[in-house]
Amino acid sequence: MIQLPKFTFLNGPAGSGKSTLASLLLAQDPDLCLLAFADPIRMALTATFYQDYLYTPNSLNLKDSVTKASLIPGTPCSHRTWMIEFGKFMHATCGASIFGELAWRMTYDSNVAYPRFLVDGLRTEGDIKPFLREEKTRDLCIIRLHREGKDWGGDLGAYVDPIGVPFVTINNDSTPEFMLNRLKVVLGVSNARADHFPF
């Protein structure tokens, strides 16, 4: 089992394999909790347009590419466009670290039940700043995923490399198992802990 540090962040463009790697990591570590920087955006969209789904979270998959591309009923706007524009609005009105603040708060509230967190969708340095402020850097790690033909495009993100935070880049041009095996190789041990990271 790969035992990641307290906070691991997945950083990569759409289609690079973040969700696949997250599923693999969660399957082999029952003490790992998955969160996403975009969770508040998805919750805001659901609360605005799909109130009936608020208490049935599996009814609307806003991570699905087909759903994201589809129009919000009664509007000329796709789910994806709404989420991008809402994200811009939040950054403009609340600051560049707003989604990092919300994500850190979610981990703080869940810390009793989970010792480790996998946070999907790291896009900007602002996202990780609250964790840098509140946590020790040895408790943080960034996994950057790259896949041929996948780039940031209109995602308003970039590969993040804050000074002092250990990171590893995985080129995901093969099978899902390749990503997990590559991560094991890079970590250097099969049961890797934060103090074993060789970065």
Side-chain angles (χ1 to χ4, degrees), residues 7-10 34-37 103 107 117-122 131:
F7 299 102
T8 301
F9 305 93
L10 297 179
L34 178 65
L35 300 171
F37 288 104
T107 65
F117 297 89
L118 184 62
V119 190
D120 190 12
L122 175 66
F131 293 88

Side-chain angles (χ1 to χ4, degrees), residues 13-30:
S16 60
K18 297 187 301 297
S19 296
T20 300
L21 181 58
S23 296
L24 292 170
L25 290 169
L26 289 166
Q28 56 94 55
D29 186 354

Side-chain angles (χ1 to χ4, degrees), residues 11-106:
N11 178 217
S16 60
K18 297 187 301 297
S19 296
T20 300
L21 181 58
S23 296
L24 292 170
L25 290 169
L26 289 166
Q28 56 94 55
D29 186 354
D31 292 326
L32 192 62
C33 177
L34 178 65
L35 300 171
F37 288 104
D39 283 344
I41 298 175
R42 296 184 189 108
M43 290 168 63
L45 190 153
T46 303
T48 303
F49 297 102
Y50 301 98
Q51 294 89 354
D52 292 344
Y53 293 163
L54 282 173
Y55 303 104
T56 53
N58 295 325
S59 300
L60 181 68
N61 183 3
L62 291 171
K63 296 180 182 180
D64 175 67
S65 59
V66 173
T67 302
K68 287 194 286 189
S70 67
L71 296 180
I72 298 170
T75 78
C77 182
S78 72
H79 296 89
R80 178 180 172 77
T81 299
W82 191 95
M83 289 190 288
I84 289 171
E85 293 304 316
F86 183 76
K88 289 179 185 176
F89 167 78
M90 290 293 285
H91 278 142
T93 56
C94 302
S97 297
I98 181 58
F99 294 112
E101 296 287 355
L102 294 172
W104 184 84
R105 186 73 221 186
M106 285 189 289

